[in-house]
Amino acid sequence: MGRLFGWMAVLWGVLGAGAASAQPTAPPKPAITAPAAKTPPQPKPTAPADVALLPGPATVPVTGVFTLAFRLRGGALGQYSEFPELEGFKKSGKTRTTTTRIVQGRRFTDLTITQRYVPYGEGEFSIKPFQITVNGVVLRSRPATVRVLPDPAAVPPANSPAPAAGSNVPVTTPGNAPALTPPADPTAPLQAVGDLDKLFGKPKPAQYQELPDGAFLAVVADRPSVYVGEGVRVGLYFYLKPSDQALLAFHDFNDQLPPLLQELHQATAWQEPGPEASVTPDSVRQQGQLYLRFRLAEHVYYPLTNAPLRFPPLALTMVKFKLLKKPEPGQDNRLAGYKTYLSKGLTVMVRALPLHPEQAAVAVGTYQLQEAISRSVPQVGQAFTYTFVVQGKGNLSAVLAPDFTEWPGLAVYGPEVREQATPGGGRKVFRYRLVARQPGIIPLDSLVRLIVFNPLTARYDTLRPRIRPRVSGGLAAPNVLPKPEEDPFYGPALADADTRLQSLDVYRDVRRYASWLLLGLVGVAGLGWWRAGRRG
């Protein structure tokens, strides 16, 4: 009987403890404290695991682009060192890409800086190890080899998404503010999984509905036809209506962009890189409708031949969300999927230039002449500077220095060339140094000229100087030259030169001293051999 009462006491104690633990406990009352002063959040330093170096492809076509890049996960980009110069390649601009991922309701931002390189020719090139410093973190590369293939058509673009037939064109960003890229993996959960999800399960795909969108992908040129050498701006844009932002998001943008840039390359045109891909859209109107436009790529092309510029249809895979038919409070109410948008092909016709009776190759553009002279009244035998400036819109690389016609009593040196490029044009400066041997007026308008073709008027223009400097002073001796120390270039160089005299026999003396030293070494070696023989 005592043992029975003992077991009952133990059982009653266990039940009482369980009942006590099942009862909710009142939350502790928060202590009343004075509000602490808010301090601005300090950016956390970049950890080595947050930044990674992205190597380029092993093979590229001769008309393609080789890339090196680094990716920064989270945080802001501070300072980073320049990308290296590669043997056999020329730098061709950078690309800045921001990717936003939403995982488990949290937003993560990745930044990728890509350096583009254009190969000079075919062959196999070695990339030596290099290092890049990003926010104080040093990234080191390994040696690699890049093969530049001869036939660009034989190299299919890697990882290009297969376009779906008849698909429209969209882009969107979740939330109110448009972002360039949300979830990188649409199969990742977009909402937290709680105890109710474990008991009752998530909404099934059949409970979601797919809403239509008005987004599209397009390759746009600012003019349908151009002359040989005339610039045409071509861009790859993604358009979407403001109401579609919650339906669409960029998918794997860092891997999809390089093949698209390669498809935009033209082998018969000089390509001037444009601005980088924009993470912020601009508002435009298309057929009376308001759209948000994302700039994926934009370049200026200057045709080198009269062959048309053909841009093939391009495909871009996006993440498109289906919405829950009966939204639930506190849930994301979206189901991620894929949709591919296909742009139409584009052809820009190229017209040949009319024949010029005097000159075969001329610069094409809308250019104006600006000129200047360093001295208003130069003296005989005194050097002065004449500046010939070409300014306007066009390919400045095709603007060659104008040649001076020989003029008795005038010596011409130079020119020194300086280029100040702007998008689609700029100014090119040619600076000459002139020395007059006799007084009088120098007819610059008949000594120098530049022939250009104006695509707006479809006519050739001749840029001629208007300055006619008058040289004063007496007639200079035919063999008298200006003093070197008075020259603006050679004067400072001569002032910094070493004035100590060097002997003309220095090399002969070195040879004599070396012969004596060699004879001495031979004598020492012979003496050592003789003494070793006597000991033996």
Side-chain angles (χ1 to χ4, degrees):
M1 222 27 207
R3 182 177 301 176
L4 178 61
F5 281 110
W7 283 108
M8 292 178 64
V10 172
L11 180 60
W12 179 262
V14 172
L15 293 177
S21 62
Q23 294 177 356
T25 57
K29 296 182 179 180
I32 300 177
T33 57
K38 295 185 178 179
T39 58
Q42 299 294 331
K44 64 176 183 179
T46 302
D50 296 337
V51 61
L53 190 63
L54 307 179
T59 59
V60 294
V62 70
T63 57
V65 177
F66 178 77
T67 59
L68 292 177
F70 66 84
R71 178 180 297 162
L72 177 63
R73 296 187 179 275
L77 178 62
Q79 295 182 351
Y80 67 93
S81 58
E82 290 294 331
F83 285 86
E85 298 287 346
L86 302 183
E87 181 181 357
F89 295 85
K90 176 185 178 182
K91 287 186 177 180
S92 179
K94 297 179 184 178
T95 301
R96 183 189 183 100
T97 306
T98 303
T99 304
T100 303
R101 298 176 292 112
I102 300 178
V103 179
Q104 303 250 348
R106 299 180 58 188
R107 184 183 295 268
F108 300 90
T109 302
D110 297 344
L111 174 64
T112 302
I113 303 296
T114 304
Q115 175 67 60
R116 302 191 297 269
Y117 296 87
V118 177
Y120 285 114
E122 306 170 12
E124 188 171 293
F125 302 93
S126 299
I127 299 181
K128 299 179 181 179
F130 61 90
Q131 66 180 28
I132 298 179
T133 303
V134 181
N135 288 1
V137 179
V138 179
L139 304 176
R140 293 180 174 85
S141 72
R142 297 181 180 179
T145 301
V146 180
R147 293 181 57 196
V148 180
L149 304 179
D151 186 8
V155 182
N159 300 331
S160 67
S167 58
N168 357 10
V169 192
V171 147
T172 89
T173 58
N176 296 328
L180 187 60
T181 44
D185 183 8
T187 60
L190 299 179
Q191 56 190 20
V193 179
D195 293 337
L196 294 178
D197 294 331
K198 296 180 180 179
L199 293 177
F200 304 105
K202 294 183 179 180
K204 299 179 180 180
Q207 300 175 358
Y208 290 89
Q209 59 179 346
E210 182 175 356
L211 301 180
D213 61 82
F216 61 94
L217 181 70
V219 179
V220 181
D222 62 353
R223 61 194 68 183
S225 63
V226 292
Y227 284 97
V228 174
E230 182 185 4
V232 55
R233 186 178 301 274
V234 179
L236 175 63
Y237 306 103
F238 191 77
Y239 299 82
L240 74 154
K241 295 181 179 180
S243 58
D244 295 336
Q245 296 183 69
L247 300 179
L248 296 172
F250 283 98
H251 163 66
D252 203 8
F253 187 75
N254 294 337
D255 294 333
Q256 291 195 75
L257 183 60
L260 295 177
L261 296 178
Q262 182 178 342
E263 291 290 339
L264 292 175
H265 182 77
Q266 298 293 315
T268 60
W270 176 278
Q271 179 174 327
E272 182 179 288
E276 300 178 354
S278 175
V279 299
T280 304
D282 53 355
S283 299
V284 296
R285 286 193 176 274
Q286 293 285 338
Q287 298 179 354
Q289 293 286 336
L290 179 63
Y291 285 90
L292 298 178
R293 184 182 68 175
F294 289 88
R295 183 182 65 245
L296 308 184
E298 189 176 86
H299 304 295
V300 178
Y301 299 87
Y302 298 95
L304 304 177
T305 66
N306 57 358
L309 303 181
R310 303 185 185 277
F311 299 90
L314 302 179
L316 181 67
T317 300
M318 303 291 297
V319 174
K320 184 173 183 181
F321 297 97
K322 295 181 180 180
L323 302 183
L324 196 63
K325 297 179 181 179
K326 297 181 179 180
E328 299 178 0
Q331 302 296 329
D332 193 27
N333 299 318
R334 299 188 305 176
L335 180 64
Y338 292 105
K339 185 173 182 179
T340 300
Y341 297 89
L342 186 66
S343 69
K344 296 181 180 179
L346 176 67
T347 300
V348 178
M349 303 305 298
V350 180
R351 293 171 286 178
L353 297 179
L355 295 179
H356 191 273
E358 301 180 20
Q359 198 165 350
V362 298
V364 179
T366 55
Y367 295 116
Q368 298 83 34
L369 173 62
Q370 297 179 352
E371 50 183 341
I373 193 171
S374 61
R375 301 179 185 271
S376 58
V377 183
Q379 301 291 324
V380 172
Q382 185 181 44
F384 63 97
T385 301
Y386 172 71
T387 305
F388 189 98
V389 182
V390 180
Q391 182 173 358
K393 292 186 177 181
N395 185 10
L396 291 179
S397 301
V399 179
L400 304 180
D403 296 328
F404 262 84
T405 303
E406 293 186 4
W407 178 259
L410 181 65
V412 181
Y413 303 93
E416 299 175 2
V417 183
R418 187 175 72 253
E419 183 176 316
Q420 301 172 354
T422 57
R427 63 198 307 260
K428 201 165 187 177
V429 181
F430 303 96
R431 181 172 288 111
Y432 299 86
R433 291 198 304 274
L434 309 180
V435 179
R437 306 296 185 204
Q438 58 188 13
I441 296 178
I442 302 178
L444 292 179
D445 53 348
S446 60
L447 298 182
V448 59
R449 64 175 183 172
L450 181 65
I451 300 176
V452 297
F453 180 79
N454 191 335
L456 298 181
T457 61
R459 297 176 57 183
Y460 286 96
D461 295 336
T462 302
L463 305 181
R464 295 180 182 273
R466 295 183 178 179
I467 298 178
R468 295 169 60 91
R470 178 183 294 273
V471 181
S472 63
L475 185 65
N479 295 328
V480 175
L481 297 176
K483 296 181 180 180
E485 56 269 16
E486 297 179 357
D487 188 273
F489 175 77
Y490 293 102
L494 291 175
D496 297 338
D498 190 359
T499 59
R500 292 178 297 179
L501 298 178
Q502 299 292 335
S503 175
L504 298 177
D505 298 331
V506 60
Y507 295 105
R508 186 174 58 184
D509 295 341
V510 170
R511 182 184 302 175
R512 183 170 60 252
Y513 298 149
S515 301
W516 290 350
L517 180 60
L518 182 60
L519 290 176
L521 293 177
V522 171
V524 172
L527 179 61
W529 175 77
W530 177 73
R531 294 184 62 180
R534 291 187 58 184
R535 291 178 182 177

